[in-house]
């Protein structure tokens, strides 16, 4: 029996764009922007066959960027028959060069590579470039360039070093841009994507959270039938939305189990119990398994191994506890699209394994249900509001499945857990008291290093606490929050004075990329 989650099955009448991934690390941004225009989009490997594309009946295709050259022997695999299917296609960066190369144009290494902001001159302002000023800027990231367009194409725009910065064959509904319209650094990028989707591909922009809920409920019912489902409820946004979605779909066939792995934030276990026990009644089950998890994590310092241990222990504990409640065939997780992307499995590299994607054992007795695996965090929040969840849950800041284990660099021990838990509680208290808006995630990290300090006229040699506070729209990219210095000083003073074993507090001012939001 396969335990791999099934791909999303969408109604045939729903507009859908397939984004072929040629190795662009931020291909998800293309998907994000398309969905912001109310058109559903998802990523598929660049090696997808024309026949597989035809089976999905997409409204349009987008060919992503990537680091390769079209002339390299190990260039990403691509089925050229896709260009003969009559489906509207937009090529971006590498996708632009591939379109030119396969269809008979010419691609050559550029005399000067273009990276970052470049001046763009629009030569043909119609259709794809409608609404774009004649002279504007765009974001480039390439070495090769298109020297000659294929027969039937016209040049739409150029830059100083790219004679073909945009091209189109509108009879065949094929367009391409050498720059990146999906990034905010291209001011008219959304206009260009909208022009392609609406004016060239004929999309109407009908994708809404209501559409997702209706279809997800149908899919869940079709997959589950009369079987029972165990939902892994952590109290976070994702698992809470999954629980409510599953409850709408199958009602009494659902049991939600809250498993306290001992890696939660201060007071969190009681908060989850008080929130969900009244809502779910006898279908809410609480299990304290903290001792099992801490035993499994003894001596484990590698973050990937931590995730594997936690994933394995999660499943084994659920198997054991579920057996006491009767037979369950399925287990429901709050896996999101960023989890799937960062865990690899497509053309993009594995950034880190998420415990509920790549960290689950192969021989578990349950089949997975992951109804949110095609959504981004902001989309999940909209689904939660539509399902009637209170805003206090919907807007709760994300907390990783492995909990504080990935906020402790190195081995997890009860003593180190207590240190980071207390420091994190102080940070959260002060952020709440300050009433600062616009923050996406804020937490404390405990490092393995030690530093010399002075307390009470004596020498100390203790650990630093790292504070991480970020702003983001989609959690795929993020920036550090510029908090008031007075607030940072107050937080630092409290942590050093109130948390034993800490003599220094530092503030992480790294964006994502190059860092990730979590430290492990």
């Amino acid at each position: 029996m396969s335990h791999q989650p099934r791909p999303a099955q969408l109604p045939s009448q729903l507009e859908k764009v397939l984004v072929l991934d040629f190795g662009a690390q931020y291909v998800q941004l293309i998907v994000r922007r398309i969905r912001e225009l109310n058109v559903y989009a998802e990523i598929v490997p660049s090696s997808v066959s024309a026949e597989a594309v035809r089976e999905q009946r997409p409204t349009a295709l987008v060919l992503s960027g990537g680091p390769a050259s079209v002339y390299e022997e190990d260039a990403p695999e691509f089925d050229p028959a896709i260009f003969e299917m009559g489906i509207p296609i937009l090529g971006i960066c590498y996708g632009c060069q591939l379109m030119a190369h396969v269809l008979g144009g010419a691609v050559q290494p550029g005399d000067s590579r273009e990276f970052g902001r470049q001046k763009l001159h629009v030569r043909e302002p119609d259709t794809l470039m409608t609404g774009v000023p004649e002279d504007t800027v765009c974001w480039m990231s390439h070495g090769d360039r298109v020297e000659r367009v294929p027969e039937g194409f016209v040049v739409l725009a150029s830059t100083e070093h790219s004679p073909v910065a945009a091209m189109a064959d509108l009879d065949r509904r094929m367009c391409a841009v050498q720059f990146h319209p999906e990034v905010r650094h291209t001011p008219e990028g959304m206009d260009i994507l909208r022009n392609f989707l609406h004016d060239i591909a004929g999309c109407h922009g009908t994708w809404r959270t209501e559409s997702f809920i209706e279809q997800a409920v149908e899919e869940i019912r079709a997959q589950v039938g009369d079987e029972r489902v165990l939902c892994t409820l952590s109290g976070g946004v994702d698992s809470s939305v999954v629980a409510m979605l599953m409850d709408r779909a199958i009602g009494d066939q659902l049991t939600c189990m809250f498993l306290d792995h001992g890696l939660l934030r201060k007071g969190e276990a009681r908060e989850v119990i008080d929130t969900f026990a009244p809502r779910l009644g006898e279908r809410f089950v609480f299990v304290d398994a903290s001792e099992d998890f801490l035993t499994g994590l003894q001596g484990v310092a590698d973050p990937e191994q931590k995730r594997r241990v936690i994933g394995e222990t999660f499943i084994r504990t659920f198997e054991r506890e579920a057996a006491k409640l009767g037979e369950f065939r399925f287990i429901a997780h709050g896996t999101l699209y960023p989890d799937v992307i960062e865990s690899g499995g497509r053309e993009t590299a594995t950034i880190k394994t998420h415990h509920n994607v790549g960290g689950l054992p192969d021989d578990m007795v349950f089949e997975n249900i992951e109804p949110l695996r095609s959504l981004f965090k902001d989309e999940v929040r909209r689904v939660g509001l539509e399902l009637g969840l209170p805003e206090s849950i919907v807007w709760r800041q994300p907390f990783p499945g492995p909990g504080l284990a990935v906020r402790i660099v190195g081995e997890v021990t009860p003593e180190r857990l207590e240190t980071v838990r207390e420091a994190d509680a102080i940070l959260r208290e002060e952020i709440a008291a300050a009433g600062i808006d616009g923050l996406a995630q804020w937490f404390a990290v405990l490092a393995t290093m030690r530093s010399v300090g002075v307390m009470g006229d004596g020498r100390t040699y203790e650990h630093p606490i790292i504070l991480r506070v970020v702003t983001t729209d989609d959690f795929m990219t993020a920036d550090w929050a510029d908090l008031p210095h007075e607030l940072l000083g107050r937080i630092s003073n409290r942590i050093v004075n109130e948390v034993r074993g800490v003599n220094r507090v530092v503030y992480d001012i790294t964006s994502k990329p190059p860092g990730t939001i979590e430290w492990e």
Side-chain angles (χ1 to χ4, degrees), residues 174-188:
M174 291 186 185
C175 307
V177 292
Q178 181 61 69
F179 54 88
H180 289 271
E182 73 273 20
V183 302
R184 299 300 189 193
H185 303 293
T186 300
E188 284 77 36

Side-chain angles (χ1 to χ4, degrees), residues 312-381:
E312 172 83 20
T313 308
F314 252 114
I315 291 300
R316 299 311 174 206
T317 303
F318 273 107
E319 289 175 346
R320 182 185 70 234
E321 297 299 324
K324 301 175 184 178
L325 304 173
E327 184 176 349
F328 293 89
R329 179 177 174 183
F330 296 97
I331 187 168
H333 297 288
T335 306
L336 305 190
Y337 209 21
D339 300 337
V340 176
I341 294 168
E342 290 192 339
S343 294
R346 288 193 168 95
E347 301 296 334
T348 49
T350 297
I351 307 301
K352 57 187 177 183
T353 301
H354 289 260
H355 79 285
N356 56 344
V357 180
L360 299 178
D362 294 331
D363 61 343
M364 67 180 186
V365 300
F366 303 111
E367 288 187 57
N368 278 337
I369 294 182
E370 297 173 323
L372 307 181
R373 67 180 280 111
S374 65
L375 299 186
F376 291 91
K377 178 70 73 172
D378 58 319
E379 294 170 328
V380 172
R381 294 190 197 279

Side-chain angles (χ1 to χ4, degrees), residues 147-163:
E147 294 284 352
R148 187 182 74 251
V149 299
E151 184 177 353
F153 281 75
V154 295
V155 178
L156 304 180
S158 59
T159 66
E160 181 181 359
H161 299 293
S162 290

Side-chain angles (χ1 to χ4, degrees), residues 80-142:
I82 288 174
F83 285 133
E84 308 301 324
M85 299 177 65
I87 300 174
I89 301 176
L90 173 66
I92 295 175
C93 194
Y94 177 85
C96 173
Q97 297 165 11
L98 180 71
M99 184 180 292
H101 174 63
V102 173
L103 297 178
V107 178
Q108 298 291 338
D111 296 330
S112 298
R113 298 185 300 172
E114 288 183 306
F115 293 98
R117 195 180 304 273
Q118 302 292 327
K119 293 181 180 179
L120 181 73
H121 176 69
V122 176
R123 297 166 56 175
E124 294 288 342
D126 295 335
T127 315
L128 186 66
M129 309 303 286
T130 298
V132 179
E134 182 177 354
D135 292 296
T136 183
V137 295
C138 65
W139 191 262
M140 290 282 197
S141 181
H142 68 99

Side-chain angles (χ1 to χ4, degrees), residues 18 49 85 115 169 172 198 218 239 244-245 291 306 339 394 408 447 460 475 494:
L18 297 182
S49 67
M85 299 177 65
F115 293 98
D169 180 345
R172 288 190 284 177
H198 291 185
E218 292 179 11
S239 67
M244 294 300 98
L245 188 61
E291 187 174 340
K306 286 182 189 177
D339 300 337
V394 170
I408 294 175
T460 63
F475 290 86
R494 283 194 60 190

Side-chain angles (χ1 to χ4, degrees), residues 1-75:
M1 181 189 308
S2 171
H3 299 297
Q4 294 301 314
R6 303 180 183 185
Q9 299 297 316
L10 298 162
S12 58
Q13 71 271 17
L14 183 67
E15 297 168 341
K16 177 170 65 171
V17 174
L18 297 182
V19 180
L20 277 63
D21 178 14
F22 289 91
Q25 189 63 68
Y26 310 116
V27 64
Q28 67 274 3
L29 284 179
I30 302 173
V31 175
R32 288 279 314 137
R33 302 307 176 226
I34 294 173
R35 292 191 189 181
E36 287 173 12
L37 294 167
N38 298 119
V39 179
Y40 181 79
E42 63 183 44
I43 299 169
V44 296
S46 64
S47 57
V48 65
S49 67
E51 183 57 35
V53 169
R54 184 175 292 106
E55 289 177 359
Q56 295 209 44
R57 302 175 64 184
T59 311
L61 304 176
V62 173
L63 312 181
S64 84
S69 168
V70 294
Y71 295 112
E72 291 177 356
E73 290 185 6
D74 58 349

